[in-house]
């Protein structure tokens, strides 16, 4: 047990958990020392069971059933127990020896008891411990082969009634319920290992259904019921493997379960049973999946199962059929089909589906831009640059944005026809702006700036208007060549900010003042800036953070 130090605990837990663990040392109780381990209870939000393992040359490890500890972390409760161990290190060797002596004494005493005395002892303990009685009743029913009794007991274990107030299990009681429900998994697994796998398989399915029916009424913030659902899924798979079930019936259950709400609880994947189902079972699985999909072609679960089965069997046509049964109006589903066909090497069909997506969409303004990109790329790769430009031009005409313009520019440059396309695109935007469409003028300003045509952007902003961000960008870009124009922009923006408070506004204001100072320097009017700043300081002097920030920048 020796060798445990505070520094080692700090390294294992991290600074935050270690510091929080210091406050829990007094909450440690019931320290139990064994051979290489120490267990205790720690009172936190609730009482947690904690175990430290110190044997061997490796670093100490530990487990705690608090939410943070269950994620595999060395939590504050483990730190508290570790600090307690360090504080009691002198007594540990003696306590370990005493624990071994007690264990040997208990074993010797139990061995010495007669059969009648052991039975009396167990009955006495069952009378005091309800959980022990339930566990032994389940074992007895299982040993007798009493399936009805085992089923009844499992339903009791999964019943939320004893833990629920007003039909709902609160967070504080959820862990206790999960611990009880977990016993059902143990019972089912014992049936499989005792040669009754068929019964285990049937009971697992019933348990899954029962748990799925109550899970919405439990505050499972810690994910305990999700873990039990996963354990039930594993128990079902193990039982099926041991039982050698009817493959067609198993396939039917797997499809039914995959389409049921309980699928979210267990995350059972029908394809995980492929090795067990074999050719006959997989054929039945596909048949049942197709029937379910035909009955509900737009159902997400049905489509997802069909796509997975089709891909696992490399059945690309079925994948396409599933997608095609529910085409999205914006062309996104057409794109998915095109990509599947491209992956399968069926490029001509892929191109046809992509073009069909453009034709059948509600309008290019609403089309999935990924479909536009996909089709334009295919045109370019197949030596059809003019078609790529046409597609990009039509998209820009329907959706006049900077993004659509940039894509048109790239396609037209590649096709060596950009000057003509650019003039046509700009003409569309000018027409929008002249119709008193403010957004058209602002988009035109962004596009001219993106093209690097700052002078044209200035003229457009002056003629059709621009938002403050555009004016600021224009001023910053044009300060070396148009300092007077830039100065006018900065002064207007500063005037607005002087009515605002807060560090963010102050940082913006100081940045503008630096621009104003540079404009006055370029104009040869530094005294004008000095007078401006002096006046500004006088009117804004109550804003201490602003004054400090201006001092920091020499303003």
């Amino acid at each position: 047990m020796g060798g445990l130090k505070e520094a080692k605990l700090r390294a294992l837990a991290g600074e935050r958990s270690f510091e929080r663990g210091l406050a829990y040392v007094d909450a440690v109780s019931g320290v139990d020392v064994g051979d290489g381990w120490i267990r205790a209870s720690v009172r936190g939000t609730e009482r947690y069971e904690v175990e430290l393992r110190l044997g061997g040359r490796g670093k100490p490890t530990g487990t705690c059933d608090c939410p943070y500890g269950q994620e595999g972390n060395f939590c504050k409760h483990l730190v508290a127990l570790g600090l307690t161990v360090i504080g009691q290190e002198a007594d540990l060797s003696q306590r370990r020896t005493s624990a071994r002596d007690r264990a040997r004494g208990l074993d010797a005493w139990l061995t010495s008891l007669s059969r009648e005395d052991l039975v009396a002892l167990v009955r006495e303990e069952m009378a005091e411990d309800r959980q022990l009685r339930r566990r032994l009743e389940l074992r007895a029913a299982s040993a007798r082969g009493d399936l009805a009794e085992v089923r009844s007991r499992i339903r009791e274990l999964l019943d939320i009634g004893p833990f629920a107030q007003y039909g709902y299990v609160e967070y504080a009681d959820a862990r206790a319920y999960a611990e009880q429900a977990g016993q059902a998994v143990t019972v089912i697994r014992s049936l499989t290992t005792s040669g009754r796998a068929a019964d285990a398989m049937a009971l697992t399915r019933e348990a899954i259904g029962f748990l799925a029916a109550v899970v919405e009424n439990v505050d499972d913030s810690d994910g305990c019921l999700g873990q039990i659902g996963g354990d039930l899924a594993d128990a079902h798979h193990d039982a099926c493997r041991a039982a050698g079930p009817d493959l067609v019936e198993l396939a039917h259950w797997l499809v039914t379960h995959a389409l049921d709400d309980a699928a979210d609880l267990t995350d059972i994947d029908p394809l995980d049973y492929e090795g067990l189902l074999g050719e006959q079972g997989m054929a039945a699985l596909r048949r049942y999946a197709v029937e379910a999909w035909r009955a509900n072609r737009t159902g997400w679960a049905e489509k997802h199962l069909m796509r997975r089965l089709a891909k696992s069997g490399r059945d690309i046509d079925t994948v396409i059929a599933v997608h095609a049964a529910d085409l999205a109006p914006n062309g996104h589903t057409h794109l998915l089909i095109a990509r599947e066909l491209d992956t399968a090497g069926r490029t001509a069909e892929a191109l046809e589906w992509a073009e069909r997506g453009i034709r059948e969409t509600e309008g290019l303004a609403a089309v999935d831009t990924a479909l536009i990109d996909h089709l334009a790329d295919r045109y370019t790769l197949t030596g059809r640059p003019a078609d790529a430009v046409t597609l990009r031009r039509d998209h820009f005409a329907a959706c006049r944005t900077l993004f659509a313009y940039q894509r048109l520019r790239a396609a037209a440059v590649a096709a060596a026809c950009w000057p003509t396309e650019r003039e046509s695109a700009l003409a569309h935007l000018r027409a929008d702006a002249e119709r008193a469409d403010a957004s058209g003028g602002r988009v035109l300003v962004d596009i001219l700036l993106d093209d690097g045509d700052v002078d044209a952007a200035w003229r457009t902003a002056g003629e059709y208007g621009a938002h403050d961000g555009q004016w600021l960008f224009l001023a910053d870009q044009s300060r070396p060549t148009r300092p007077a124009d830039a100065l006018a922009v900065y002064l207007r923006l500063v005037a607005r900010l002087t009515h605002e408070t807060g560090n963010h506004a102050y940082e913006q204001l100081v940045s503008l003042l630096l621009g104003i100072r540079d404009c006055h320097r370029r104009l040869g009017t530094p005294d004008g800036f000095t007078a401006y700043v002096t006046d500004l300081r006088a009117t804004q002097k109550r804003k201490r953070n602003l004054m400090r920030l201006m001092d920091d920048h020499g303003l």
Side-chain angles (χ1 to χ4, degrees):
M1 292 288 181
L4 186 61
K5 304 295 182 185
E6 285 193 15
K8 189 171 291 185
L9 288 175
R10 191 184 296 271
L12 286 169
E15 195 66 32
R16 177 178 173 81
S17 288
F18 181 83
E19 292 298 328
R20 296 179 70 185
L22 292 171
Y24 280 82
V25 173
D26 292 338
V28 177
S29 63
V31 177
D32 188 13
V33 181
D35 194 8
W37 54 263
I38 301 176
R39 298 182 186 126
S41 296
V42 181
R43 170 61 68 179
T45 307
E46 54 186 90
R47 184 172 295 278
Y48 298 113
E49 297 303 315
V50 186
E51 179 179 305
L52 267 177
R53 291 193 171 273
L54 308 175
R57 295 185 176 182
K59 62 184 180 181
T61 59
T63 58
C64 177
D65 60 1
C66 74
Y68 189 60
Q70 285 191 326
E71 295 175 359
N73 299 298
F74 201 92
C75 66
K76 60 189 178 185
H77 308 111
L78 283 165
V79 171
L81 178 54
L83 292 170
T84 301
V85 169
I86 292 172
Q88 300 177 358
E89 188 169 2
D91 299 330
L92 288 179
S93 178
Q94 181 179 351
R95 294 176 68 174
R96 184 170 64 252
T97 300
S98 297
R100 289 173 178 171
D101 290 342
R102 288 196 303 271
R104 283 195 292 265
L106 177 61
D107 186 65
W109 176 66
L110 290 171
T111 303
S112 69
L113 293 176
S114 66
R115 179 177 181 278
E116 291 76 14
D117 289 340
L118 276 173
V119 170
L121 175 63
V122 171
R123 285 173 177 163
E124 181 182 339
E125 291 300 317
M126 282 195 302
E128 296 292 331
D129 189 335
R130 183 185 180 193
Q131 295 301 326
L132 174 62
R133 178 177 59 79
R134 280 188 167 183
R135 289 196 296 270
L136 292 178
E137 285 173 344
L138 273 169
R139 288 195 179 190
S142 177
R144 293 194 309 269
D146 189 345
L147 186 61
E149 179 67 15
V150 174
R151 176 180 286 110
S152 176
R153 295 304 182 190
I154 287 177
R155 290 180 69 86
E156 285 183 14
L157 291 172
L158 297 176
D159 182 17
I160 65 172
F163 302 89
Q165 292 184 348
Y166 311 109
Y168 188 80
V169 181
E170 301 289 348
Y171 176 80
D173 299 310
R175 182 177 297 278
Y177 170 70
E179 289 176 355
Q180 177 176 295
Q183 295 175 29
V185 182
T186 303
V187 173
I188 290 170
R189 288 190 180 279
S190 69
L191 288 173
T192 299
T193 57
S194 63
R196 299 176 57 198
D199 290 341
M201 185 174 66
L203 289 174
T204 305
R205 296 179 185 180
E206 293 178 20
I208 288 171
F210 195 86
L211 191 63
V214 302
V215 69
E216 293 299 324
N217 297 316
V218 180
D219 183 348
D220 190 33
S221 300
D222 294 340
C224 296
L225 296 192
Q227 179 61 50
I228 293 173
D231 291 342
L232 284 171
D234 292 339
H236 180 263
H237 194 277
D238 293 342
C240 290
R241 189 168 57 245
D246 181 314
L247 299 180
V248 175
E249 188 278 332
L250 174 59
H252 184 267
W253 183 84
L254 287 169
V255 170
T256 302
H257 177 73
L259 304 180
D260 188 77
D261 291 341
D264 293 334
L265 175 68
T266 63
D267 202 24
I268 289 177
D269 185 352
L271 292 180
D272 288 343
Y273 288 74
E274 186 170 4
L276 178 61
L277 289 169
E279 185 175 338
Q280 177 191 1
M282 287 302 294
L285 189 72
R286 290 189 173 88
R287 184 172 67 253
Y288 288 127
V290 169
E291 289 175 1
W293 171 66
R294 286 176 176 167
N296 184 19
R297 291 178 183 267
T298 60
W300 182 90
E302 287 81 359
K303 290 192 294 182
H304 179 69
L305 179 58
M306 279 293 292
R307 285 195 292 267
R308 294 212 64 229
L309 289 172
K311 285 187 176 183
S312 71
R314 297 180 177 83
D315 185 357
I316 186 67
D317 290 317
T318 299
V319 174
I320 293 170
V322 173
H323 283 308
D326 186 27
L327 294 172
N330 69 346
H332 177 70
T333 321
H334 297 78
L335 173 62
L336 296 179
I337 293 173
R339 286 173 174 169
E340 293 284 0
L341 288 166
D342 271 330
T343 301
R346 294 160 60 173
T347 55
E349 294 173 78
L351 183 61
E352 182 180 342
W353 268 101
E355 291 176 330
R356 178 179 164 184
I358 298 298
R359 293 194 305 270
E360 295 180 356
T361 190
E362 293 179 339
L364 284 178
V367 74
D368 185 344
T369 55
L371 176 60
I372 299 285
D373 293 340
H374 176 88
L375 185 55
D377 289 344
R378 292 303 175 274
Y379 283 150
T380 301
L381 291 172
T382 54
R384 299 169 59 182
D387 289 335
V389 171
T390 299
L391 177 62
R392 294 296 190 185
R393 182 194 308 130
D394 291 344
H395 185 227
F396 177 75
C399 186
R400 295 190 183 112
T401 64
L402 174 61
F403 178 81
Y405 178 85
Q406 290 169 332
R407 294 298 186 270
L408 171 61
R409 182 175 61 200
V413 167
C417 61
W418 176 229
T420 301
E421 291 295 334
R422 180 176 187 266
E423 188 53 42
S424 175
L426 295 181
H428 279 301
L429 290 171
R430 291 191 189 98
D432 290 343
E434 288 170 359
R435 287 194 294 270
D437 184 346
S439 63
R442 290 173 180 177
V443 171
L444 181 55
V445 170
D446 280 337
I447 283 173
L448 291 170
L449 288 172
D450 194 65
D451 277 344
D453 195 345
V454 179
D455 288 338
W458 263 107
R459 292 193 298 272
T460 300
E463 186 174 358
Y464 302 118
H467 58 69
D468 286 349
Q470 290 174 319
W471 279 118
L472 179 58
F473 188 83
L474 282 166
D476 289 342
Q477 293 293 307
S478 304
R479 200 163 64 212
T481 57
R482 308 173 67 150
D485 291 332
L487 178 60
V489 171
Y490 290 141
L491 291 172
R492 177 170 55 82
L493 295 178
V494 165
R496 293 185 182 181
L497 283 173
T498 55
H499 300 290
E500 297 183 20
T501 58
N503 289 337
H504 181 65
Y506 300 157
E507 289 169 1
Q508 289 181 298
L509 197 151
V510 166
S511 177
L512 291 171
L513 290 175
L514 293 173
I516 292 173
R517 183 172 66 183
D518 185 51
C519 289
H520 275 290
R521 181 184 62 81
R522 293 177 184 276
L523 292 168
T525 56
D527 292 342
F529 177 70
T530 300
Y532 176 77
V533 168
T534 301
D535 181 63
L536 183 68
R537 278 183 170 274
T539 59
Q540 303 288 310
K541 62 184 178 182
R542 293 183 179 275
K543 298 176 180 177
R544 296 180 180 180
N545 284 353
L546 174 60
M547 296 297 103
R548 188 179 301 111
L549 197 58
M550 291 177 67
D551 289 339
D552 291 343
H553 288 81
L555 295 170

